């Protein structure tokens, strides 16, 4: 069965439109330093930078944890944020369930998504005494 040429044109236009939004999405380099501490309830605060299209942007981060949280740590994470179209897309709330133990030095890796569709892929080193099995939220804001 052959499709009429108008149907071919519509399919071609649809393919262009759906592919164009993904083609415009970009990625950026991210570094975050997060301080975390708690006893059942925990909190985290941090700062970092994002390099996007040759520009460097300051970031601030903070969040809450609930579950089994004990101790304190400093985590330095590096990686990238994908699926962004503009620098502001990194801003938002990222949620995660996690577990880990750091006694002295440990390794940490995380993949998170926010409401803008930005995907953070970060890894790095964790220093301190920390045990956690918790639900956590991390809010990242772009400094102006």
């Amino acid at each position: 069965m052959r499709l009429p040429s108008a149907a071919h044109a519509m399919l071609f236009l649809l393919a262009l439109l759906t592919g164009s939004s993904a083609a415009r999405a970009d990625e950026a380099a991210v570094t975050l330093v997060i301080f975390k501490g708690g006893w059942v309830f925990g909190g985290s605060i941090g700062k970092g930078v994002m390099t996007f299209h040759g520009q460097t942007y300051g970031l601030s981060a903070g969040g809450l944890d609930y579950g089994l949280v004990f101790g304190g740590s400093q985590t330095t994470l590096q990686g990238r944020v994908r699926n962004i179209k503009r620098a502001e897309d990194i801003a938002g709330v990222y949620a995660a369930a996690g577990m880990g133990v750091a006694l002295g030095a440990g390794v940490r890796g995380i993949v998170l998504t926010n409401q803008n569709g930005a995907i953070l892929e970060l890894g790095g080193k964790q220093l301190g005494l920390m045990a956690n099995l918790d639900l956590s939220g991390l809010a990242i804001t772009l400094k102006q």
Side-chain angles (χ1 to χ4, degrees), residues 35-44 65 67-74 100-103 126-134:
F35 297 93
K36 182 176 181 175
W39 178 268
V40 179
F41 290 101
S44 59
D65 304 311
L68 170 63
V69 180
F70 171 76
S73 68
Q74 174 186 331
V101 174
L103 181 58
Q126 185 174 21
L127 299 172
L129 172 60
M130 173 63 75
N132 68 298
L133 175 58
D134 58 0

Side-chain angles (χ1 to χ4, degrees), residues 14-67:
L14 183 61
L16 282 177
L17 290 175
T18 57
S20 66
S21 65
R24 287 193 302 247
D26 211 342
E27 66 180 51
V30 175
T31 300
L32 288 173
V33 178
I34 306 287
F35 297 93
K36 182 176 181 175
W39 178 268
V40 179
F41 290 101
S44 59
I45 189 164
K47 62 182 180 175
V49 294
M50 174 179 71
T51 304
F52 183 61
H53 291 189
Q55 298 282 343
T56 301
Y57 300 88
L59 302 173
S60 59
L64 296 174
D65 304 311
Y66 177 73

